[in-house]
């Protein structure tokens, strides 16, 4: 009999979890509290239901080739970066293509997920749900939690003295949908992440003045890179990852900072990283221009509010503030769990590879999408789901929970004592994390083997963008269309741009594309390999001078 799996949430990660269950001949039942799929990508005019949704003007930050399901590419005519409507259409197409909707129970809230009395033997769970006022209880062999980490608005009012005296409007970015209603007002946006930058830019077109307050500063990336290619496709490459492992991090950071400051000097624009703070990055194409034109004024952190004004860390005061918008992020929680599981799941250090809680005797509970990646979250969560479903089936193993729990507890103590840094809130390197999970499944591509078997494909895999299709080339879940998807990924990237064809320009443009897209990474990787070979030869020669003839013969052998 197929194992029954409860999937909580029908957003981006919930849909891929359903599909992965079906692919592994498991029996999924998905519980979605709203009336449609898509999670936060399903736009609504208000947030009265308490669910986090996109604001109307939102545009994706990761291009389509890097943020698609690994066996379901976007249509070639879809723009590289798209609005929420286009992206939701893609999710709908995915769900319909793989016939996933029949597994979803809409308008259903999960009230509790508890271990059954015989959990240590069966790993089963009791799941209590409610649909239109009627409660239901069912037993499941495994549970996949796909509720994401944009659940509860983080509104740190207690950190701002005088905020309760403030007579203007106060709201969290979760409540922001459209710029109407802010005309002619002086708006203070607190927090400079992707959302803070987007809202500040949009309001700068209608508000009288927008003030943007940040404690740490940020590096600002554009969606397009050199020569107009999508930024993600130019930097998220295996050859770049190899270079990053060889060269010192300080040197790489210096190169990156020089390149970003070449576009505009972040210090001059009030965006530079505060000394002692970790570097952070946002994607925003318009913020520098809005600052340059005076539509947005950068400010330091707020230390106090009065009835109508804000006092900043540098001693400046801004009067007549009408609206304060907190873009201070979210907290995540699991209200349907019992303690201590509820608290433990909020500590990423106690999640094996950010997925499996360490305190369970049976690996039948997985937290999907509770991860920060320097790349596509969609691709990361899909790979998580592929791994998890194979663990549920017993085809992939994870280490004993007692051993993992002991190691995590020791690490937590060392962090508290200051021996280790707490990196739980840091974003993971995209390729490193994806390869790690893929290795657990058996789907990580072998570059040397590819170069022997299929040099053309190997070239694209190593020197080209690390698109999700790479994890469908081999192993469980292998997709026959993966090779072609990789070889045609640049065609789909350029297709929506080719709306005005200039005669006799295609051939030079094609050659130019290959030189620009691959030239620098290939050259740098080749130089590093040459330097590495020369270094090893030099070491060997030095050792030969000092070692006995017997050991030299061993070295050569």
């Amino acid at each position: 009999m197929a194992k029954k799996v409860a999937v909580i949430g029908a957003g981006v990660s919930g849909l891929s979890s359903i599909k992965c269950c079906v692919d592994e001949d498991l029996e999924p039942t998905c519980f979605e509290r709203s009336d449609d799929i898509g999670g936060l990508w399903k736009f609504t005019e208000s947030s009265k239901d308490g669910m986090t949704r996109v604001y109307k003007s939102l545009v994706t930050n990761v291009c389509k080739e890097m943020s698609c399901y690994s066996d379901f590419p976007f249509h070639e005519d879809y723009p590289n970066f798209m609005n929420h409507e286009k992206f939701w259409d893609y999710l709908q197409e995915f769900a319909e293509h793989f016939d996933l909707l029949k597994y979803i129970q809409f308008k259903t809230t999960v009230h509790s997920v508890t271990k059954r009395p015989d959990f240590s033997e069966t790993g089963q769970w009791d799941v209590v749900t409610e649909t239109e006022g009627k409660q239901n209880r069912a037993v499941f062999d495994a549970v996949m939690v796909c509720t994401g980490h944009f659940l509860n608005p983080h509104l740190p009012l207690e950190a701002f003295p005088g905020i309760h005296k403030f007579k203007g409007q106060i709201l969290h970015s979760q409540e922001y949908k459209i710029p109407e209603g802010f005309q002619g007002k002086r708006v203070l946006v607190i927090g400079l992440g992707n959302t803070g930058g987007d809202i500040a830019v949009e309001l700068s077109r209608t508000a009288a003045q927008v003030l943007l307050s940040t404690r740490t500063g940020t590096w600002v990336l554009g969606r397009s890179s050199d020569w107009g290619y999508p930024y993600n496709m130019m930097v998220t490459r295996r050859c770049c990852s190899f270079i990053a492992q060889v060269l010192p991090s300080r040197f790489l950071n210096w190169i990156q900072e020089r390149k970003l400051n070449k576009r505009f000097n972040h210090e001059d624009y009030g965006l530079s990283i505060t000394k002692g703070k970790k570097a952070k990055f946002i994607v925003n194409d318009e913020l520098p221009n809005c600052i340059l034109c005076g539509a947005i004024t950068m400010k330091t952190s707020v230390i106090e509010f009065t009835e109508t004004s804000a006092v900043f860390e540098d001693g400046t005061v801004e009067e007549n503030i009408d609206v304060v918008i907190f873009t201070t992020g979210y907290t995540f929680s699991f209200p349907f769990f019992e303690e201590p599981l509820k608290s433990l799941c909020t500590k990423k250090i106690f999640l094996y590879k950010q997925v499996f809680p360490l305190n369970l005797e049976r690996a039948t509970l997985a937290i999907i999408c509770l991860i920060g990646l320097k790349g596509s979250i969609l691709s990361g969560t899909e790979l998580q789901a592929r791994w998890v479903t194979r663990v549920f089936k017993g085809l992939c193993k994870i280490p004993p929970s007692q051993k993992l729990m002991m190691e995590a507890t020791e690490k937590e103590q060392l962090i508290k004592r200051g021996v280790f840094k707490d990196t739980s809130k840091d974003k993971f390197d995209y390729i490193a994390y994806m390869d790690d999970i893929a290795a657990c499944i058996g789907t990580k591509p072998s570059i040397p083997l590819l170069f022997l078997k299929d040099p053309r494909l190997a070239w694209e895999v190593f020197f080209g963008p690390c698109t999700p299709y790479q994890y469908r080339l081999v192993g469980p879940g292998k997709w026959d269309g993966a090779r072609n998807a990789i070889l045609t990924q640049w065609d789909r990237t350029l297709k929506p741009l080719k709306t005005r064809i200039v005669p006799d320009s295609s051939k030079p443009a094609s050659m130019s594309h290959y030189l620009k897209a691959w030239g620098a990474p290939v050259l740098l990787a080749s130089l590093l390999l040459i330097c590495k070979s020369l270094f090893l030869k030099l070491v060997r020669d030095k050792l030969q001078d000092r070692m006995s003839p017997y050991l030299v013969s061993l070295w050569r052998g």
Side-chain angles (χ1 to χ4, degrees), residues 329-346:
Y330 296 82
T331 59
F332 51 86
S333 61
F334 305 97
F336 36 75
F337 287 151
E338 292 181 318
E339 295 291 0
L341 184 60
K342 181 189 292 188
S343 298
L344 184 133
C345 287
T346 62

Side-chain angles (χ1 to χ4, degrees), residues 86 124 158 175 228 326 347 359 373 420 469 481 503-504 520 535:
K86 277 280 187 184
Q124 290 182 326
E158 67 283 353
E175 304 170 68
F326 284 87
K347 298 179 181 179
N359 66 335
L373 278 182
F420 289 162
Y469 322 121
D504 301 322
F535 175 74

